[in-house]
Amino acid sequence: MSPFRLLLRAHHWPLYLLGCAGIALVNALLGAERLPVPVPNVDQLDVPLGLFSPLLLACMLVLHLRPPTPLWDTAPRAHTVIRLALLGTATLPAALACLPLWTHDPGLALSGLRNLAGLTGITLATATLAGATRGWMSAFPYVLLALLLGTHRSSTTGGHAHHPWWAFPLEPAGDVTAVALAVLVFGTAIASYSLRGTRPER
């Protein structure tokens, strides 16, 4: 068995692939189903399930990057290269899990990929500062705030809610600001993770 395959097994690769496959199946069957979310300013906001699945994928992804042993970062190796390889290998199945959304609506699939990038950036940045098992602790509150504070009755026209620039997960696929913000967050988090890795945890 090659060293890279041993590395993937040490990071619980088979379990991660199974989780991505499960989310891909949910996206294929129910990705376009709209979930009624009670929002104080708008009474109710119907959000496609496909916009929430990237949140789960991002949390799974960052957990997958947790070092298999506390001695991991003390061994002599090209840490930056290995971290980037692990991140790229982990991102691919997560991105593929969003593609079944295309069968419902191409725009929904593009929004899912954008949200995956942005939310992965948030979880990855949190993992760099607080540890991989705590990466989810920022992404979930952020999405909740985007739903509760990022929608206003005064900005709702034609039955479609408009959101402030920071609430990118709820924007349509063609929103340039949302895409730019997601890419910026993802790129910054990649740079930080490749240089520092996730914070060691006891």
Side-chain angles (χ1 to χ4, degrees):
M1 185 175 292
S2 68
F4 190 64
R5 290 182 64 185
L6 289 173
L7 176 65
L8 293 179
R9 288 189 63 181
H11 282 264
H12 308 290
W13 180 252
L15 185 61
Y16 174 69
L17 277 182
L18 186 62
C20 289
I23 294 178
L25 181 61
V26 172
N27 282 338
L29 298 176
L30 304 172
E33 294 294 322
R34 292 186 170 270
L35 304 178
V37 179
V39 178
N41 297 320
V42 195
D43 295 331
Q44 182 173 296
L45 188 66
D46 294 329
V47 182
L49 180 63
L51 293 184
F52 284 114
S53 58
L55 176 61
L56 298 178
L57 290 168
C59 294
M60 288 169 45
L61 190 154
V62 75
L63 286 173
H64 172 72
L65 297 177
R66 181 184 182 186
T69 169
L71 300 177
W72 182 255
D73 287 330
T74 63
R77 61 171 68 86
H79 292 289
T80 299
V81 175
I82 291 179
R83 287 171 187 151
L84 289 175
L86 279 173
L87 180 59
T89 306
T91 302
L92 180 59
L96 291 176
C98 292
L99 291 184
L101 295 172
W102 196 278
T103 60
H104 303 289
D105 179 14
L108 183 60
L110 294 175
S111 295
L113 291 172
R114 178 204 62 207
N115 290 353
L116 175 64
L119 295 173
T120 298
I122 292 174
T123 58
L124 198 58
T126 306
T128 304
L129 297 174
T133 60
R134 301 181 181 95
W136 64 272
M137 297 176 68
S138 58
F140 271 95
Y142 167 73
V143 172
L144 184 61
L145 286 174
L147 287 169
L148 297 181
L149 302 180
T151 306
H152 304 282
R153 182 182 296 277
S154 60
S155 64
T156 303
T157 57
H160 298 283
H162 291 244
H163 312 281
W165 64 270
W166 55 268
F168 72 84
L170 302 177
E171 294 290 359
D175 190 272
V176 177
T177 302
V179 173
L181 181 59
V183 171
L184 177 62
V185 172
F186 188 49
T188 303
I190 288 176
S192 176
Y193 168 73
S194 64
L195 294 175
R196 299 178 54 187
T198 59
R199 182 175 178 176
E201 299 177 72
R202 293 182 179 180

